[in-house]
């Protein structure tokens, strides 16, 4: 590569980083505001907050909010300067640990929400029994929060390895943790069990929920129309498709790399697919609005009250001026 080609490559990469920085920042601001509105909504409405079907959702939103506050700013910092800072193995180790843990926790929580919804819709009486509520509702949530932390402490923080091939010119240091680069079994297990499995469960659970609802309505001899099922179908499709669409390219490329082709689409993985993963937490608050119809009503009420307050203030101001 001659000097001209090198300059063009650097300019192109700089422009690409500028675009990514702008996209993340533009999406982060409304996602942050919307998350705060959702939290205020839960605080104001105790009954809704303590409803069984909203507990896991609230935990998911808290994890997502942590990503918005800490994980996204790290990516923004990288795209702003064009390199990892500080460029040290310790920083890369903790950055990947933090990101991977939040990613997997979010995936497992979403999959758990989808599975638990079957029980809440068709067997809601189960949660009235204390030991069943603990077994089928509380323990899965505890697993979602503790398993990812435990797993990545062992494979990232405590994994015995020296000379990890960190790439300080790539976001997330190129995700070059030793267990992914040098341990085929752990790498495959991570991508398959920690990322692929919850995504598949999420998609299948939502599809099966639609099938069960339709079948139950048919057994009850009630007419099933697309208008009646549209809202539920769109909600479930958005939940499953968000993770399916965004995670699938990265999962496929990662598995191919682990199974013997470490350079397969390596640049595309680090430059594009890792970046796309960051958008999950930016879009998730918008999807959660569809899961909380009461929230939409509350937001609309706030907007009307604000408009009335502004209108009253304007009238008072004009009256004072006329005097």
């Amino acid at each position: 590569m001659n000097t001209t080609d090198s300059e063009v490559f650097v300019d192109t990469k700089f422009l690409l980083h500028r675009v990514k920085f702008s996209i993340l920042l533009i999406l982060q601001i409304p996602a942050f505001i919307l998350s705060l509105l959702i939290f205020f909504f839960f605080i104001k409405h105790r009954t809704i907050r303590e409803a069984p079907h909203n507990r896991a959702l609230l935990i998911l939103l808290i994890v997502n909010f942590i990503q918005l506050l800490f994980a996204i700013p790290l990516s923004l910092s990288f795209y702003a300067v064009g390199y990892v800072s500080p460029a040290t193995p310790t920083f890369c180790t903790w950055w990947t640990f933090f990101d991977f843990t939040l990613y997997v926790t979010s995936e497992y929580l979403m999959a758990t929400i989808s599975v638990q919804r079957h029980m809440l819709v068709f067997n809601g009486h189960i949660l009235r029994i204390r030991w069943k509520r603990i077994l089928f509702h509380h323990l899965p949530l505890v697993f979602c929060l503790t398993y990812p932390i435990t797993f990545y402490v062992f494979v990232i923080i405590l994994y015995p390895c020296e000379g990890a091939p960190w790439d300080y010119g790539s976001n997330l240091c190129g995700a070059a943790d030793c267990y992914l680069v040098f341990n085929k079994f752990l790498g495959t297990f991570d991508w398959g069990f920690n990322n692929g499995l919850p995504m598949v469960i999420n998609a299948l659970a939502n599809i099966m929920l639609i099938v069960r609802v339709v079948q139950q309505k048919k057994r009850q001899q009630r007419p099933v129309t697309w208008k009646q099922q549209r809202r539920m179908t769109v909600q479930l499709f958005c939940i499953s498709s968000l993770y399916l669409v965004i995670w699938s390219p990265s999962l496929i490329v990662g598995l191919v790399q682990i199974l013997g082709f470490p350079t397969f689409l390596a640049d595309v993985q680090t430059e594009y697919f890792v970046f796309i993963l960051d958008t999950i937490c930016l879009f998730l608050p918008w999807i959660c609005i569809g899961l909380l119809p009461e929230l939409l009503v509350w937001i609309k009420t706030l907007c009307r009250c604000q408009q009335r307050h502004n209108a009253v203030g304007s009238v008072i101001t004009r009256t004072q001026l006329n005097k």
Side-chain angles (χ1 to χ4, degrees), residues 34 37-38 41 289 294-304:
L34 185 57
L37 283 175
I38 295 174
F41 170 76
I289 289 183
E294 303 91 347
L295 174 61
L296 290 174
V297 176
W298 182 69
I299 293 176
K300 291 178 182 178
T301 303
L302 286 180
C303 293
R304 293 193 193 101

Side-chain angles (χ1 to χ4, degrees), residues 59-61 63-64 67 100-113 144-145 148 198 242-243 247 280-281 284:
I59 296 174
L60 175 63
L61 287 169
V63 173
N64 197 74
Q67 289 181 278
F100 289 2
T101 300
L102 290 174
Y103 281 144
V104 174
T105 301
S106 177
E107 280 192 282
Y108 267 97
L109 283 171
M110 184 61 78
T112 300
I113 291 172
C144 292
L145 296 175
L242 176 68
Y243 282 80
W247 265 105
I280 293 178
C281 67
L284 186 58

Side-chain angles (χ1 to χ4, degrees), residues 213-214 217 223-235:
V213 169
V214 173
K217 286 184 175 293
V224 179
T225 63
W226 168 244
K227 184 177 180 180
Q228 292 174 331
Q229 304 300 329
R230 180 175 57 190
R231 180 178 179 180
M232 180 187 63
T233 303
V234 171
Q235 287 178 359

Side-chain angles (χ1 to χ4, degrees), residues 83-97:
Y83 55 87
V84 177
S85 179
T88 63
T90 301
F91 178 78
C92 290
T93 298
W94 284 100
W95 187 7
T96 53
F97 166 76

Side-chain angles (χ1 to χ4, degrees), residues 194 235 269 272:
N194 294 337
Q235 287 178 359
Q269 177 83 308
Y272 296 99

Side-chain angles (χ1 to χ4, degrees), residues 232-264:
M232 180 187 63
T233 303
V234 171
Q235 287 178 359
L236 300 180
F237 176 79
C238 290
I239 294 172
S240 59
S241 64
L242 176 68
Y243 282 80
L244 182 64
V245 171
I246 293 180
W247 265 105
S248 291
S250 183
L251 282 172
I252 294 172
V253 172
L255 284 176
V256 173
Q257 292 174 345
I258 292 171
L259 295 175
F261 303 90
T263 60
F264 176 73

